Amino acid sequence: MRIKSNNNKINSVILTTAKTSFLRYFIELSYNGKNYHGWQIQPDVISVQEKLNKAVSTITQQNIEVVGAGRTDTGVHASQMFAHFDVDLEIKGDIPHKMNSLLPKDIVVYNVFKVDDEKHARFDAVSRSYEYKIWLGRNPFLLDFSWQIHSQKLDVELMNDAAKLLLEYTDFQTFSKVKTDVYTYNCNITEAIWKQQENELTFYITANRFLRNMVRAIVGTLVDVGLGKITKDDFRKIIESKNRSNAGLSVPAKGLFLTQIKY
């Protein structure tokens, strides 16, 4: 059976009865996190997940809850994010176009595709990559997308020497938010490097998983190295202490981007 909605907003999307109990679809999207209290739905605040739920539910005419590949914090951006949802009808047509017509302009869907019903957006991800952007100076056009440092000079070479230590460890409790319900603080970091192009300084980090606030705490502590406040040996001791109070500040969320998820 084929069902075509009379709703003008979704009249180019065709829903077909599924042969199995449900079908699973992946969504590839990006978003500017400035106006959102993170990815996850929370009471009385706006989240990315809430906006996606409403758009997919409107198109499928069912009550849909999307599952994200991760949970970005308030103000954090994502240039690549994946999520999945289950529906008992096969969806055909230009789904990304219809979703984008229902979503705010700061959330953009690039692709929607059917996957095996056991494929999971969060648990099947093998790595995630983040970038943290620092602008050395003042730039009014990057205020929402970088942390601007204009009164102090950073020693990037020292910061990179310290960053290499991250690849020697797996327990990163030091850089985790204190009140969190994780079952382990272990993460396998495979990349941690600073790269500078003129005034833009970017920290690239990849791991199989990340703890809450982890990247922002690492960046804050590495900046302390670059400012000469702590040494490379101090950085090692901070990691080994497993004590968040020993690490540096949590840098502003606006400079952080989730950039890639691999499956």
Side-chain angles (χ1 to χ4, degrees):
M1 179 178 67
R2 297 176 57 180
I3 305 170
K4 193 168 183 179
S5 172
N6 292 322
N7 186 330
N8 291 331
K9 288 186 177 180
I10 59 172
N11 59 12
S12 66
V13 176
I14 298 172
L15 308 177
T16 305
T17 303
K19 295 180 180 179
T20 57
S21 58
F22 72 89
L23 297 172
R24 178 158 293 179
Y25 287 85
F26 261 44
I27 306 170
E28 182 183 6
L29 68 147
S30 66
Y31 52 85
N32 176 341
K34 178 182 178 181
N35 297 318
Y36 300 97
H37 289 257
W39 164 266
Q40 190 175 17
I41 287 181
Q42 303 170 61
D44 304 319
V45 295
I46 301 173
S47 70
V48 178
Q49 186 182 29
E50 173 194 347
K51 295 297 183 182
L52 275 180
N53 283 353
K54 289 181 179 178
V56 179
S57 295
T58 299
I59 290 172
T60 62
Q61 303 172 69
Q62 297 181 24
N63 185 22
I64 301 293
E65 291 188 12
V66 300
V67 177
R71 300 176 182 176
T72 53
D73 290 334
T74 299
V76 175
H77 315 291
S79 52
Q80 185 183 62
M81 169 64 103
F82 285 96
H84 78 250
F85 67 91
D86 296 333
V87 63
D88 60 13
L89 295 169
E90 185 174 3
I91 311 171
K92 296 180 180 179
D94 192 348
I95 313 170
H97 174 74
K98 299 315 297 182
M99 288 187 67
N100 288 328
S101 70
L102 297 169
L103 288 166
K105 295 187 183 300
D106 50 12
I107 302 175
V108 177
V109 171
Y110 299 108
N111 199 6
V112 179
F113 52 97
K114 190 162 57 175
V115 297
D116 293 339
D117 57 15
E118 294 183 355
K119 192 78 172 180
H120 198 285
R122 180 182 177 188
F123 298 133
D124 285 345
V126 295
S127 72
R128 297 162 174 83
S129 297
Y130 282 88
E131 294 178 13
Y132 192 88
K133 296 186 179 297
I134 295 176
W135 186 262
L136 303 173
R138 298 179 185 270
N139 188 323
F141 303 106
L142 296 177
L143 287 173
D144 292 334
F145 304 105
S146 64
W147 179 30
Q148 302 195 6
I149 299 178
H150 44 79
S151 59
Q152 298 166 299
K153 188 174 181 179
L154 298 175
D155 189 325
V156 179
E157 185 176 349
L158 283 179
M159 292 163 67
N160 264 327
D161 284 343
K164 291 176 184 176
L165 295 178
L166 294 168
L167 277 64
E168 299 179 15
Y169 294 87
T170 55
D171 188 327
F172 294 102
Q173 184 173 355
T174 290
F175 302 117
S176 173
K177 242 178 182 176
V178 177
K179 294 182 180 180
T180 182
D181 58 355
V182 296
Y183 64 92
T184 176
Y185 294 100
N186 288 348
C187 307
N188 180 26
I189 296 178
T190 55
E191 178 190 41
I193 188 171
W194 291 92
K195 295 182 181 179
Q196 184 174 354
Q197 185 173 3
E198 297 182 348
N199 284 47
E200 185 177 72
L201 180 61
T202 305
F203 180 58
Y204 298 85
I205 185 166
T206 298
N208 63 325
R209 63 188 292 266
F210 287 91
L211 305 168
R212 287 191 65 192
N213 213 233
M214 178 176 165
V215 179
R216 291 162 62 193
I218 288 174
V219 170
T221 312
L222 287 172
V223 165
D224 284 345
V225 174
L227 292 173
K229 294 181 179 180
I230 60 174
T231 66
K232 177 181 175 180
D233 287 339
D234 292 332
F235 187 71
R236 182 187 292 278
K237 291 175 183 176
I238 288 169
I239 297 173
E240 294 177 349
S241 74
K242 302 180 184 181
N243 187 333
R244 177 65 184 91
S245 63
N246 292 332
L249 61 83
S250 177
V251 293
K254 61 185 180 179
L256 184 59
F257 295 76
L258 173 60
T259 57
Q260 188 178 51
I261 302 171
K262 290 185 177 181
Y263 291 91

